[in-house]
Amino acid sequence: MVVLTHRSSFNCFQFHPLPPLLRRLGEGASRNFCSVPLPPLKTHNSFCFKVCSLTHSTSVTRNICDFPNKRRPGHELSNSFGLLEKFCRTYEELSKNKICKFSRHIVRSDLSVTGSVGSSYPLPEIQAGSKLRGICFYAVTSFVAIFLFVLMVVSHPFVLLFDRYNRKAQHLIAKWWASLTIAPFFNIKFEGLENLPAQDSPAVYVSNHQSFLDIYTLLTLGRSFKFISKTSIFLFPIIGWAMYLLGTIPLKRMDSRSQLVISSS
Ligand SMILES: CCCCCCCCCCCCCCCC(=O)OC[C@@H](O)COP(=O)(O)O
């Protein structure tokens, strides 16, 4: 099992060997993936989120979270994370205190560190910049997807004939899609790549999914793993259809039978 963490404020993705407890669970998980109750992800610092008491709308905070390319000058990484941890609450604490509804208000660590909105960037500036960047991002990813999806469809009969399970060709196309999309917008830094298992060895990849960027990042690895995804995402035009071609495993959130299908597959 490999854990991928995404520190949204620095576009930094890290691959970790598991701490001993998770490693033991991971061994069980590889036998029966979904029936193993994975512990709350508090065993690693990078899984810490801060619940924000901001009053602005979810869309604003998500924009900040999704396109966190600007760093405040003089804001050192180690300092940020040290202070961030002080404010962290785990998912477990959140659910205990019944404040899960705020979990979408995850903010980048700059806001977490300062603890106040006013001391961060002026919001209108972020909002306008983020929105424009977001629009460009979606435009590029959709444009690239249209062409590559045609390639996926054309190659699919051959994939089904010769490589039904791994679907390496489809994953290669998805890798191109992710790489081309990310390149103009993000300079992603990887750490701990040496912790990845060999290319074809069995592994479960677990991501803290702070934003959709972890999906792009995992795809750039070019490995033939299967995502597990909630079913509604399969309805997205092109991207959702491409997920079928990649062999993504659908999961009905509220349907335990759907989860059993995954654990036995
Ligand atoms: C040519 C185009 C190639 C396109 C390849 C597309 C491959 C995309 C893989 C997408 C895998 C999606 C995994 C989604 C996992 C998932 O299900 O996430 C749910 C979260 O969101 C949170 O949902 P919610 O709690 O309801 O907000």
Side-chain angles (χ1 to χ4, degrees):
M1 186 184 283
V2 180
V3 177
L4 167 76
T5 58
H6 170 198
R7 291 171 166 173
S8 64
S9 55
F10 298 103
N11 295 335
C12 173
F13 291 83
Q14 299 179 310
F15 295 93
H16 307 280
L18 287 175
L21 169 66
L22 268 176
R23 196 175 303 130
R24 277 204 303 280
L25 282 160
E27 282 158 12
S30 62
R31 285 194 297 276
N32 195 358
F33 176 43
C34 276
S35 62
V36 174
L38 285 173
L41 297 174
K42 64 178 179 183
T43 43
H44 197 282
N45 295 342
S46 307
F47 287 111
C48 291
F49 293 155
K50 176 182 182 291
V51 176
C52 180
S53 58
L54 302 182
T55 48
H56 26 271
S57 70
T58 302
S59 62
V60 173
T61 48
R62 280 188 73 88
N63 280 341
I64 294 168
C65 186
D66 287 345
F67 298 101
N69 61 323
K70 293 182 192 170
R71 285 179 56 181
R72 290 190 311 158
H75 212 117
E76 290 310 318
L77 192 137
S78 55
N79 182 35
S80 292
F81 285 113
L83 282 167
L84 173 63
E85 282 163 26
K86 267 190 1 195
F87 292 98
C88 283
R89 293 196 197 181
T90 62
Y91 278 128
E92 197 180 44
E93 287 170 305
L94 292 177
S95 52
K96 247 188 229 156
N97 295 324
K98 302 206 182 309
I99 47 177
C100 277
K101 61 182 175 177
F102 293 128
S103 60
R104 274 182 172 269
H105 290 221
I106 295 161
V107 293
R108 59 183 194 174
S109 55
D110 293 56
L111 288 182
S112 310
V113 170
T114 58
S116 73
V117 185
S119 51
S120 188
Y121 310 119
L123 265 177
E125 185 196 320
I126 295 177
Q127 212 173 354
S130 291
K131 272 189 179 156
L132 183 63
R133 221 168 130 75
I135 290 165
C136 293
F137 185 90
Y138 285 119
V140 169
T141 205
S142 312
F143 184 76
V144 174
I146 290 167
F147 292 100
L148 292 179
F149 181 66
V150 175
L151 198 56
M152 262 191 172
V153 172
V154 170
S155 59
H156 201 60
F158 302 100
V159 167
L160 289 182
L161 272 177
F162 301 112
D163 186 25
R164 187 180 189 88
Y165 297 107
N166 282 328
R167 305 192 180 188
K168 285 188 175 164
Q170 307 294 38
H171 280 88
L172 179 65
I173 295 169
K175 179 184 175 177
W176 292 342
W177 171 72
S179 307
L180 287 169
T181 301
I182 283 177
F185 299 96
F186 297 103
N187 184 17
I188 288 179
K189 182 182 164 201
F190 291 92
E191 285 178 10
L193 280 176
E194 67 279 5
N195 296 318
L196 284 171
Q199 181 82 13
D200 284 327
S201 63
V204 177
Y205 296 80
V206 181
S207 166
N208 64 345
H209 200 36
Q210 276 208 21
S211 76
F212 58 80
L213 275 181
D214 56 356
I215 296 169
Y216 287 89
T217 309
L218 282 166
L219 286 172
T220 61
L221 294 177
R223 296 183 169 219
S224 305
F225 56 80
K226 305 297 176 202
F227 282 102
I228 296 175
S229 169
K230 62 179 183 180
T231 45
S232 55
I233 300 182
F234 286 81
L235 301 175
F236 287 8
I238 299 183
I239 305 293
W241 307 335
M243 284 164 62
Y244 274 114
L245 302 185
L246 278 172
T248 301
I249 301 166
L251 172 71
K252 283 185 195 154
R253 272 274 173 82
M254 305 309 288
D255 181 355
S256 52
R257 275 179 301 179
S258 162
Q259 293 166 20
L260 282 174
V261 170
I262 290 172
S263 64
S264 63
S265 62

